[in-house]
Amino acid sequence: MKHLSIILKLVEKYIFIVILLLALLILSININKPFIGHHDFMSAFEGMQARNYLKYGLWKLKFGAVSSHIQGPVEELHSFTVSYLPFLSILISVSFSIFGIVEWAERLVPVLFTSIGALAFFLICQKLWNQKVALMASIFYILNPMFIYFGKLPAPDLPVLSMMLVSFYFYTLWLENEKKLFFFLLNFSLFIGGLFGWTIIYFGPLLILHSIIVGKFQIKLLIPTLITLLTIFLQLFHTFILTGSFLTAGQISLIKFRLIEKNFSFGGIQFTLINYIKQEISWFQAYFTRVILILSSINIFFNLNKRFSLQKASLLFFLGL
């Protein structure tokens, strides 16, 4: 019994390692399957870009991502993928150089970052509530179908989400004691996330808004937003180096489609408020499962009469955003 008690204490002390290992174990399932699943065209694109880096070298390609076979001299190449910075493809090329050009070596990169995101999720929950709540929430998070399938998809969105969770965790630590180290790690993780994808730009303004709500705003909280803007500038500047223009015709068309398209539709269905709500409900059920949605709703219902601190409530709200 004494040995069992010691083991339980060690597990409790290092439970965060258990969470990390559990995430890695779950994501390792089917890690070497062929790229034939939902959204796996991204896997093919990222893999081809990584292979081209290995074949021609980063410098010759000017760090540009090429998602097809290169025909003719590399110096005359003008067709690049510029939707995101090529950081993910570069990391995958490093994995290829170590383990070989196989499916699991490509998926290894998003698996590592997704697992780090799961660990950050556990630490956030532990900080806001306690270890038991964090453990239960993390198990539901890791066993979620969306986590299991998309967590190993070689696409920029997953590492971006993970780095946002890491940044969010360091932000909660910084709110408590304002240590320079936590603020540095907050900004560093944001910068890494920005190298994966521009979608992290939303995070900086949310931090500013939250700090204003809880009365802890400081002028230095403008730095995270400036860092995310820096990564956007790096993407535009890299596009200019590759194509001679800061925005390509494809990027301009995409911006117009997302912001000012009049006849917008999704999934072949005309966009209306009712159709949008129906689609969102369908996605929620598919990705989060009805079990989690029902249990979450029950928990919210039975906690409506309990007082909730402004800081905790607003942190959850912005994390949800």
Side-chain angles (χ1 to χ4, degrees):
M1 289 296 291
K2 184 178 180 181
H3 293 297
L4 180 61
S5 177
I6 293 173
I7 292 173
L8 290 175
K9 286 182 179 179
L10 286 173
V11 171
E12 185 177 351
K13 184 177 181 180
Y14 298 104
I15 189 67
F16 64 94
I17 297 178
V18 176
I19 294 297
L20 181 63
L21 292 177
L22 177 62
L24 288 170
L25 177 64
I26 293 297
L27 291 173
S28 67
I29 299 172
N30 293 326
I31 195 173
N32 203 35
K33 75 178 182 70
F35 295 140
I36 54 174
H38 175 61
H39 226 68
D40 256 339
F41 67 89
M42 286 297 300
S43 308
F45 287 163
E46 293 290 342
M48 180 58 71
Q49 289 165 186
R51 292 179 67 177
N52 283 329
Y53 284 137
L54 286 181
K55 185 175 181 179
Y56 298 100
L58 291 170
W59 192 252
K60 268 193 174 181
L61 290 172
K62 296 178 284 189
F63 290 82
V66 182
S67 55
S68 60
H69 290 285
I70 297 176
Q71 299 178 350
V74 177
E75 293 75 15
E76 297 178 5
L77 185 66
H78 295 289
S79 179
F80 296 92
T81 301
V82 293
S83 302
Y84 298 92
L85 283 167
F87 190 50
L88 177 59
S89 299
I90 292 172
L91 291 181
I92 292 172
S93 71
V94 173
S95 181
F96 280 170
S97 68
I98 298 172
F99 303 109
I101 302 175
V102 288
E103 283 89 348
W104 72 264
E106 180 173 346
R107 291 192 176 103
L108 181 62
V109 176
V111 162
L112 291 175
F113 277 93
T114 303
S115 299
I116 291 172
L119 174 60
F121 178 80
F122 169 81
L123 294 173
I124 291 169
C125 293
Q126 183 176 245
K127 185 154 193 63
L128 293 180
W129 283 279
N130 55 57
Q131 192 177 80
K132 289 182 180 179
V133 172
L135 178 60
M136 184 62 68
S138 298
I139 290 174
F140 276 105
Y141 180 68
I142 292 172
L143 297 182
N144 187 288
M146 185 164 64
F147 178 91
I148 296 172
Y149 184 84
F150 288 102
K152 51 179 168 277
L153 182 73
D157 309 83
L158 286 309
V160 169
L161 175 59
S162 293
M163 296 315 297
M164 287 182 70
L165 286 169
V166 173
S167 302
F168 196 84
Y169 174 63
F170 286 123
Y171 172 69
T172 60
L173 294 178
W174 178 81
L175 279 179
E176 279 193 348
N177 49 37
E178 299 184 12
K179 283 188 177 180
K180 291 181 179 179
L181 176 61
F182 295 146
F183 194 71
F184 168 77
L185 292 173
L186 157 65
N187 289 295
F188 179 74
S189 50
L190 267 183
F191 179 73
I192 297 299
L195 293 181
F196 280 112
W198 56 266
T199 48
I200 205 167
I201 193 173
Y202 302 111
F203 195 71
L206 288 178
L207 293 184
I208 294 173
L209 184 56
H210 175 264
S211 65
I212 293 173
I213 290 174
V214 298
K216 292 191 176 183
F217 174 75
Q218 296 183 29
I219 196 69
K220 68 191 305 184
L221 280 173
L222 294 174
I223 295 176
T225 298
L226 294 176
I227 286 177
T228 55
L229 289 174
L230 172 62
T231 60
I232 297 295
F233 171 77
L234 290 176
Q235 180 177 346
L236 295 175
F237 185 65
H238 188 225
T239 301
F240 177 78
I241 291 174
L242 296 174
T243 66
S245 174
F246 286 104
L247 284 173
T248 64
Q251 288 173 317
I252 294 173
S253 298
L254 184 61
I255 292 171
K256 288 181 178 179
F257 173 75
R258 293 193 175 189
L259 297 179
I260 56 176
E261 177 66 41
K262 292 182 178 179
N263 300 316
F264 178 74
S265 66
F266 58 104
I269 303 174
Q270 184 63 37
F271 179 83
T272 64
L273 181 59
I274 296 298
N275 287 338
Y276 171 74
I277 293 173
K278 288 180 180 178
Q279 185 64 67
E280 286 295 325
I281 293 173
S282 175
W283 281 338
F284 265 75
Q285 293 181 68
Y287 292 142
F288 298 105
T289 74
R290 294 177 182 179
V291 173
I292 294 178
L293 291 174
I294 291 171
L295 291 176
S296 300
S297 301
I298 292 172
N299 178 66
I300 292 172
F301 177 78
F302 282 103
N303 284 277
L304 286 176
N305 61 335
K306 294 183 180 180
R307 296 188 65 182
F308 214 37
S309 71
L310 177 62
Q311 179 164 318
K312 187 182 291 187
S314 54
L315 278 172
L316 285 176
F317 176 72
F318 289 119
L319 180 60
L321 288 179

